[in-house]
């Protein structure tokens, strides 16, 4: 489900370094439209050269936040600093920021070249330099042969690249991208994800991307802020967000997950033991935040972290192990999804790679199977 | 069974085609009967000679029989002197030029007032746009003549404007705006303004607001964005509105007759005089045909531009 991060493991993590000053600082920003609170006291720090994703469903406030950074909306309360400068009252045309629009917003009466040159013209750049920089930009997005065309003569993917070239030609320190890949088909989207990351690394621009596509956010970004109803549910690297969700919303929004409600039995060090009627067994979770005994919690376990077995397993302590009947199998080629019904009625989702060919697959419908997982698989959610 | 169905289907589709043909044919037939035929009659009269008779023009076609020679001849006489008269007499040329000038000034005034209006309405809250457009069209609900008569009361010496200026102490004594070219400009601008606002509004309202945001984002100040984005994109609306005002304004008769002075010479008045005062139908017809030619050129330009626009917008 989750794409592999395509960044090198040796990437910078400026948010870990206390000495770094953030390039963009959002301080307790609230935006209301009438009675509707679109963004609710959001605070964020985004560092130079980050590829930062604002991830959320529609109405989560992610686009409003982006539009406030661009200057199209003014915060009702709170402050936005870009490169240390308070952005209050600074109009879009005076901000050191460029934006790539979801609709691309290409000027229909101008050619591709004129579209890309527009921003430079506003700054009064010399004609010869404009020509050079436009040529360079179109070369970078592989549209050199299309300079004289009008936007309506281009395909969706080409338009997307013109919009990108136009927003990068002024060499902004910060580029805002509103659903940059939303209008592309799946294959093109995957290819463009890599292109975007390459361009971002090559030019050393800070990218803030708004997206509703978690896979897109996981693949491209250095950090993700998951937004829900105008508040930030969690900020972290793709791995942190996926493996250590802070709350139910994040756990359920990113990928699929199994939730078992239960009560804490005991806490030993960072190991928490939870009794769950729903799961039909005791759950032992390693590396969990301690919780008082008796408090209600949810234990979240990713489908790929559960193993299925048809053969009886040697008896253990009965923890992290339950049985059920396979009700549904979805064959996706590389993996299969199994929906296993526990005696308690709870359905558990399990994904397993198809290591052997499907025709030889040992587990089939209505088989009784044992589900097991390791203490590191689960996450305890108190909210 | 199958063939029956396919015959039925093809029969139905044929009726469908035929039905579509009828829908198109009826309005065209109407135009043929009430525009093309009268136009051809007028066109014919413009080549005849004025005579004192009923009707007051000569017939173009005559059947001549020579009893002695025993021959019969079909004689078609085309009198082109009517058109030469138009070119030779200053009155006509002046009237044409005057009409074009007054129509052009009216068009520019409508554009100057109508563009900001249409822009403001298009930028207004969506719920308010309907009522605002309704207000633009509202004057059409009262008679055109009554509205022009009302302007007489406003523009005349000791009229509303004159008294207002006097009361404010700007002028002493009555100011007579009525019976001048300015009265005609004001009256015609007032009459034709909705024709300018409607097409302008429809193009401005369709414009994607994110284009202006993109321009601002790229460093363009609001006024510059207006010049480089809004204005060029609203060009089809400007052209459509201008033609809707210009074309009827050239041939306008009532407004200049009621509000204009004796020296406000427009082609509509010349036409009226030739028809009703001089009873010279052939010359009047030639005036009308020439007027049509003057108007066909801008229409052709408009069609050309629109065709290009449609191609570009595809």
């Amino acid at each position: 489900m989750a794409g592999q991060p395509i960044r090198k493991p040796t990437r910078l993590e400026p948010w870990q370094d206390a000495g770094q000053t953030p390039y963009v600082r959002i301080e307790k920003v609230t935006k209301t439209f009438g009675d509707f609170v679109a963004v609710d006291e959001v605070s964020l720090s985004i560092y130079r050269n980050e590829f930062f994703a604002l991830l959320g469903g529609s109405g989560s406030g992610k686009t409003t936040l982006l539009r406030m950074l661009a200057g199209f909306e003014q915060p009702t309360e709170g402050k936005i600093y870009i490169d240390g400068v308070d952005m209050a009252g600074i109009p879009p045309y005076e901000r050191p920021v460029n934006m790539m629009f979801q609709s691309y917003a290409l000027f229909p009466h101008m050619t591709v070249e004129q579209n890309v040159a527009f921003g430079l013209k506003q700054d009064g750049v010399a004609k010869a330099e404009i020509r050079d920089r436009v040529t360079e930009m179109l070369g970078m997005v592989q549209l050199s042969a299309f300079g004289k065309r009008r936007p309506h003569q281009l395909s969706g993917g080409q338009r997307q690249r013109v919009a990108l070239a136009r927003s990068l030609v002024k060499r902004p320190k910060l580029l805002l991208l509103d659903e940059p890949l939303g209008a592309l088909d799946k294959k093109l989207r995957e290819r463009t994800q890599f292109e975007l990351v390459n361009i971002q690394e090559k030019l050393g621009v800070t990218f803030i991307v708004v997206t509703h596509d978690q896979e897109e956010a996981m693949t491209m970004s250095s950090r993700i802020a998951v937004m829900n109803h105008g508040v930030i549910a969690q900020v972290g690297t793709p791995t942190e967000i996926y493996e250590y969700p802070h709350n139910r919303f994040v756990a359920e929004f990113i990928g699929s997950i199994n939730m078992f409600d239960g009560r804490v039995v005991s806490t030993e060090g960072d190991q928490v033991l939870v009794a769950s009627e729903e799961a039909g067994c005791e759950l032992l979770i390693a590396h969990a935040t301690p919780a008082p005994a008796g408090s209600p919690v949810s234990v979240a376990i990713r489908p790929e972290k559960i193993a299925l077995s048809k053969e009886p397993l040697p008896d253990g302590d009965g923890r992290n192990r339950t049985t059920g009947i396979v009700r549904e199998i979805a064959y996706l080629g590389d993996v299969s999804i199994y929906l296993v019904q526990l005696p308690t009625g709870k359905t558990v989702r399990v994904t397993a790679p198809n290591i052997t060919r499907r025709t030889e697959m040992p587990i089939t419908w209505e088989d009784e199977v044992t589900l097991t997982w390791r203490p590191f698989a689960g996450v305890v959610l108190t909210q | 069974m199958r063939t029956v169905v396919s015959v039925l289907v093809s029969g139905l589709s044929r009726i469908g085609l035929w039905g579509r043909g009828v829908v198109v044919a009826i309005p065209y037939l109407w135009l043929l009967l009430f525009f093309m035929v009268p136009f051809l009659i007028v066109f014919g009269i413009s080549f005849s000679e004025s005579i004192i008779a009923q009707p007051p023009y000569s017939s173009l076609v005559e059947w001549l029989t020579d009893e002695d020679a025993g021959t019969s001849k079909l004689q078609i006489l085309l009198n082109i002197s009517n058109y030469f008269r138009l070119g030779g007499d200053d009155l006509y040329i002046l009237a044409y030029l005057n009409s074009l000038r007054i129509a052009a000034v009216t068009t520019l005034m409508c554009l100057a007032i109508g563009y900001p209006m249409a822009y403001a309405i298009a930028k207004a809250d969506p719920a308010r746009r309907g009522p605002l457009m309704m207000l633009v069209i509202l004057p059409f609900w009262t008679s055109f003549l009554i509205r022009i008569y009302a302007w007489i009361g406003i523009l005349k010496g000791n009229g509303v404007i004159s008294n207002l200026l006097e009361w404010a102490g700007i002028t002493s004594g009555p100011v007579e705006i009525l019976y001048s070219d300015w009265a005609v400009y004001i009256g015609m601008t007032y009459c034709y303004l909705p024709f300018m606002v409607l097409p302008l509004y429809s193009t401005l309202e369709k414009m994607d607001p994110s284009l202006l945001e993109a321009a601002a984002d790229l460093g363009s100040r609001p006024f510059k964005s207006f010049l480089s984005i809004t204005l060029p994109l609203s060009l089809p609306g400007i052209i459509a509105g201008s033609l809707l005002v210009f074309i009827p304004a050239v041939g306008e008769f009532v407004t200049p007759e009621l509000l204009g002075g004796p020296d406000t010479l427009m082609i509509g008045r010349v036409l009226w005089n030739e028809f009703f005062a001089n009873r010279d139908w052939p010359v009047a017809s030639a005036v009308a045909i020439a007027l049509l030619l003057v108007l066909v050129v801008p229409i052709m330009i408009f069609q050309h531009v629109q065709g290009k626009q449609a191609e570009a917008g595809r």
Side-chain angles (χ1 to χ4, degrees):
Chain A
M1 182 71 244
Q4 283 295 304
I6 48 184
R7 289 164 173 279
K8 286 135 210 127
T10 53
R11 66 175 183 266
L12 295 166
E13 295 196 337
W15 54 90
Q16 305 280 28
D17 182 352
Q20 287 271 351
T21 45
Y23 185 65
V24 177
R25 217 165 74 227
I26 299 167
E27 275 183 6
K28 292 192 173 172
V29 163
T30 298
K31 176 72 187 177
T32 54
F33 296 103
D35 292 339
F36 178 68
V37 183
V39 173
D40 195 358
E41 275 202 45
V42 164
S43 296
L44 266 180
S45 291
I46 298 163
Y47 296 84
R48 232 175 261 277
N49 294 345
E50 266 206 86
F51 197 124
F52 195 92
L54 293 169
L55 177 63
S58 55
S60 61
K62 58 189 194 303
T63 301
T64 309
L65 194 59
L66 197 76
R67 289 175 60 81
M68 284 193 281
L69 287 169
F72 301 132
E73 311 280 355
Q74 293 297 325
T76 315
E77 273 168 60
K79 293 262 179 217
I80 293 175
Y81 298 91
I82 297 177
D83 208 6
V85 180
D86 185 357
M87 286 290 126
I90 295 183
Y93 48 87
E94 281 171 6
R95 293 194 181 201
V97 172
N98 282 127
M99 178 154 161
M100 190 184 143
F101 288 77
Q102 185 177 12
S103 63
Y104 307 146
L106 298 177
F107 306 129
H109 58 301
M110 296 183 192
T111 63
V112 167
E113 278 173 357
Q114 288 168 332
N115 263 285
V116 177
F118 187 87
L120 296 175
K121 265 195 196 155
Q122 307 309 315
D123 289 357
V125 177
K127 271 205 172 128
E129 200 195 331
I130 292 183
R131 206 175 46 235
D132 290 350
R133 277 167 76 173
V134 168
T135 311
E136 184 199 327
M137 263 301 149
L138 289 181
M140 195 186 76
V141 297
Q142 293 152 37
L143 283 176
S144 301
F146 297 88
K148 298 277 180 266
R149 297 229 189 146
R150 294 281 177 93
H152 68 92
Q153 293 167 314
L154 301 176
S155 72
Q158 289 166 339
R159 266 179 244 178
Q160 191 260 1
R161 300 217 293 277
V162 177
L164 184 66
R166 188 180 70 176
S167 59
L168 281 171
V169 78
K170 291 183 81 174
R171 297 174 187 155
K173 290 276 181 339
L174 174 63
L175 185 67
L176 310 171
L177 302 100
D178 189 4
E179 303 274 3
L181 310 176
L184 306 182
D185 61 62
K186 195 172 185 295
K187 273 261 151 56
L188 195 56
R189 205 158 59 214
E190 277 171 13
R191 210 171 59 215
T192 316
Q193 283 175 3
F194 285 89
E195 279 179 23
L196 270 184
V197 172
N198 284 337
I199 287 171
Q200 189 257 344
E201 283 179 348
K202 198 167 100 190
L203 300 182
V205 184
T206 309
F207 273 29
I208 300 180
V209 177
V210 153
T211 179
H212 68 277
D213 184 331
Q214 41 135 329
E215 203 172 329
E216 201 173 291
M218 302 278 283
T219 320
M220 298 193 294
S221 24
S222 56
R223 280 194 305 159
I224 299 172
V226 183
M227 290 191 72
N228 183 33
H229 295 304
V231 295
I232 290 184
Q234 189 175 349
V235 185
T237 63
T239 326
E240 284 166 3
I241 298 270
Y242 187 78
E243 303 289 358
Y244 302 102
H246 283 177
N247 48 51
R248 263 190 105 105
F249 175 79
V250 175
E252 281 170 346
F253 189 78
I254 310 282
S256 25
I257 203 149
N258 296 298
M259 289 283 185
F260 300 104
D261 294 332
R263 272 173 199 284
V264 176
V265 177
S266 65
T267 304
E268 284 169 40
D270 64 352
Q271 290 211 336
V272 176
L273 190 64
V274 175
S276 169
E277 264 181 50
E278 228 177 10
C281 65
E282 279 188 329
L283 304 147
L284 182 70
I285 300 104
H287 297 308
T289 38
S295 61
V297 291
S298 296
V299 176
I301 305 170
R302 295 281 179 200
E304 73 276 9
K305 294 192 168 57
I306 302 177
L308 281 186
S309 162
K310 228 166 84 166
E311 279 84 51
L313 293 165
D315 285 341
D317 52 10
R319 289 172 178 172
N320 294 353
R321 162 203 287 234
T322 187
T323 54
I325 290 162
V326 177
R327 293 295 185 203
E328 299 282 354
I329 303 175
Y331 173 69
L332 301 183
D334 51 349
V335 294
S336 288
I337 301 169
Y338 302 85
L339 297 183
V340 180
Q341 197 175 31
L342 305 185
T344 57
K346 170 91 177 170
T347 302
V348 178
R349 190 184 170 101
V350 180
T351 51
N354 292 319
I355 297 160
T356 55
R357 287 191 195 279
R358 163 87 164 149
T359 43
E360 303 155 15
M361 201 183 57
I363 297 168
T364 183
W365 283 269
E366 307 303 326
D367 277 354
E368 191 173 315
V369 287
T370 309
L371 293 80
T372 53
W373 57 94
R374 303 175 62 180
F376 302 102
V379 175
V380 177
L381 302 172
T382 46
Q383 293 168 353
Chain B
M1 190 62 208
R2 203 185 207 142
T3 47
V4 173
V5 170
S6 69
V7 165
L8 260 175
V9 166
S10 74
L12 278 174
S13 73
R14 224 167 277 172
I15 290 172
L17 268 180
W18 195 77
R20 230 174 291 168
V22 168
V23 169
V24 177
I26 287 174
Y28 273 94
L29 205 69
W30 176 272
L31 281 177
L32 186 78
L33 269 176
F34 296 102
F35 176 74
M36 208 56 205
V37 171
F39 171 76
L40 288 175
I41 293 171
V42 170
F43 191 61
I45 293 173
S46 75
F47 287 108
S48 64
E49 272 174 87
S50 178
I51 51 170
I52 298 166
Q54 192 68 265
Y57 55 89
S58 64
S59 170
L60 293 184
V61 183
E62 247 175 304
W63 188 255
L64 299 175
T65 16
D66 194 329
E67 297 273 328
D68 300 332
T71 53
S72 299
K73 281 189 256 175
L74 179 72
Q75 182 187 267
I76 302 174
L77 271 177
L78 291 181
N79 173 21
I80 51 174
S81 67
N82 296 326
Y83 287 96
F84 285 121
R85 240 179 94 187
L86 292 189
D89 196 330
D90 278 354
L91 172 86
Y92 299 109
I93 294 172
L94 266 174
Y96 276 119
L97 290 177
N98 235 348
S99 293
L100 290 177
R101 180 177 54 87
I102 289 175
V105 172
T106 304
T107 307
L108 287 176
M109 283 171 69
C110 280
L111 192 61
I113 300 169
Y115 200 104
M117 257 176 96
Y119 189 85
I121 298 171
K123 295 276 159 198
D125 186 79
R128 285 210 200 121
R129 288 179 204 161
L132 285 172
M133 277 321 281
M134 196 67 212
L135 287 174
V136 172
I137 307 166
L138 204 63
F140 284 126
W141 291 29
T142 48
S143 157
F144 168 72
L145 265 180
I146 288 173
R147 284 183 284 136
I148 292 299
Y149 271 112
W151 274 106
I152 295 178
I154 297 169
L155 296 173
K156 71 178 180 198
N158 283 324
V160 176
I161 291 180
S162 172
N163 287 345
L164 214 65
L165 288 175
E166 219 176 319
W167 174 80
I170 296 166
T171 57
S172 55
V175 182
E176 179 86 47
I177 306 169
L178 194 61
Y179 308 128
S180 70
D181 279 2
W182 273 104
V184 177
Y185 295 148
I186 292 169
M188 282 173 65
T189 302
Y190 163 77
C191 284
Y192 288 113
L193 191 60
F195 295 104
M196 183 64 88
V197 174
L198 283 166
L200 277 176
Y201 167 76
S202 78
T203 47
L204 286 170
E205 194 243 7
K206 265 186 289 180
M207 230 185 78
D208 182 359
S210 69
L211 293 179
L212 290 179
E213 288 185 347
D217 185 69
L218 292 165
S220 175
R221 288 166 176 280
F223 184 66
K224 224 175 156 203
S225 301
F226 173 79
L227 291 183
S228 56
I229 310 293
T230 311
L231 202 59
L233 286 176
S234 61
L235 208 59
I238 295 176
I239 292 173
S242 297
L243 282 171
L244 280 177
V245 173
F246 185 79
I247 292 170
V250 172
E252 176 72 51
F253 171 70
V254 177
T255 313
E257 189 68 21
L258 291 175
L259 302 180
D263 52 340
T264 309
L265 188 64
M266 282 186 77
I267 205 68
R269 187 184 275 184
V270 170
L271 205 60
W272 172 277
N273 283 339
E274 292 295 349
F275 258 112
F276 296 100
N278 295 350
R279 277 183 72 78
D280 192 341
W281 287 25
V283 167
S285 300
V287 170
I289 296 293
L291 177 63
L292 195 87
L293 287 177
V294 168
L295 294 181
V296 159
V297 178
I299 294 173
M300 300 271 266
I301 294 172
F302 176 58
Q303 291 284 356
H304 181 72
V305 171
Q306 269 219 320
K308 267 189 147 180
Q309 208 76 39
E311 206 179 326
R314 222 173 345 114

